[in-house]
Amino acid sequence: MSRLIEAKGLSAGFGGTDVLSGVDFHIDGGEIVTVVGPNGSGKSTLMRMLVGALSPRAGRITRMPGLRLGYVPQRLSIDPTLPLSVSRFLDLPRPAGRAAKAAMLERVGISALADRPLAGLSGGQYQRALLARALLVDPHLLILDEATQGMDQRGSADFYALIATLREEMGTAVLMVSHELHVVMSASDRVVCLNGHVCCEGAPEIVSSAPEYRALFGTGTHGALALYRHEHDHSHDHDHHHGHGHDHGDRHHHDHGAALDKTGTDN
């Protein structure tokens, strides 16, 4: 298993205020890791440091040589009057071949929208276009920063089901920042709970019962959502696909998403 990014003792701040202090973090090939925390906990600051957009005040970050990152932001501000089609958008910042673009749009479920103006897409379609663009670099690591912000429950559940499928098909690791705690419980291999420092981390069912997590998020319905996480009946092959039984796991993932949609337990 390859270590993609490792951070030790990260601190960051603006002015005289520390946003993060003493943060250790790592992600390995093929993992799905989710970072959770309240507003102002430093989640976006950590993401910016990991991708190299912000330098830490202290600590160090080691990245695998040749690491390719795909990044899906919360929202990308593009002038709605700009005549930019989905297909042309996929050529930014560097041109991609017609066949590669068509295959990726098919993969993320919006192949019929290639010639549609980007500004005319719904929220879910727009995020899938951003996802297609991020995946065209064939990333070792896909980073999603609150990528389902503004989507309804069904759209959000479908988007994260797609992410889980892509991880299995492409073998890419996934790092998510999410406020949707049911997603954490159903989709992640590991959860990192952040509040200016790492409060707790580990498997979702362990983190959800940790006192530090419950102090931040309460002990109501969110704590019970660990029950929605399917138990893997197979081993992970992080360099490529899951081993035996991944159809069984996929069924569980979709069933749980549907159950959450019907019951609204994440409200």
Side-chain angles (χ1 to χ4, degrees), residues 45-69:
T45 299
L46 176 60
M47 295 304 107
R48 291 176 66 201
M49 287 194 291
L50 294 177
V51 302
L54 180 68
S55 297
R57 274 186 177 170
R60 61 181 175 81
I61 300 173
T62 306
R63 299 178 185 88
M64 183 183 78
L67 179 67
R68 293 188 304 275
L69 295 173

Side-chain angles (χ1 to χ4, degrees), residues 154-176:
R154 171 55 66 195
S156 177
D158 287 349
F159 186 84
Y160 282 117
L162 172 63
I163 294 300
T165 299
L166 290 169
R167 188 270 290 261
E168 299 211 359
E169 290 178 355
M170 301 178 70
T172 184
V174 181
L175 175 58
M176 303 191 289

Side-chain angles (χ1 to χ4, degrees), residues 214-238:
R214 292 184 171 222
L216 290 173
F217 297 110
T219 57
T221 55
H222 293 314
L225 288 170
L227 299 174
Y228 282 94
R229 183 171 186 262
H230 74 261
E231 291 303 317
H232 292 296
D233 64 343
H234 55 274
S235 59
H236 287 270
D237 174 3
H238 285 299

Side-chain angles (χ1 to χ4, degrees), residues 8-21:
K8 293 283 191 184
L10 292 187
S11 294
F14 306 96
T17 306
D18 273 345
V19 176
L20 288 175
S21 124

Side-chain angles (χ1 to χ4, degrees), residues 112-169:
L113 305 179
D115 298 321
R116 186 83 62 85
L118 194 67
L121 301 183
S122 71
Q125 292 168 342
Y126 192 93
Q127 289 306 103
R128 285 172 188 250
L130 292 181
L131 176 61
R133 180 171 169 266
L135 291 172
L136 278 169
V137 303
D138 189 20
H140 298 104
L141 174 60
L142 179 65
I143 297 179
L144 307 169
D145 189 359
E146 299 274 18
T148 59
Q149 192 101 344
M151 289 188 200
D152 62 18
Q153 277 188 333
R154 171 55 66 195
S156 177
D158 287 349
F159 186 84
Y160 282 117
L162 172 63
I163 294 300
T165 299
L166 290 169
R167 188 270 290 261
E168 299 211 359
E169 290 178 355

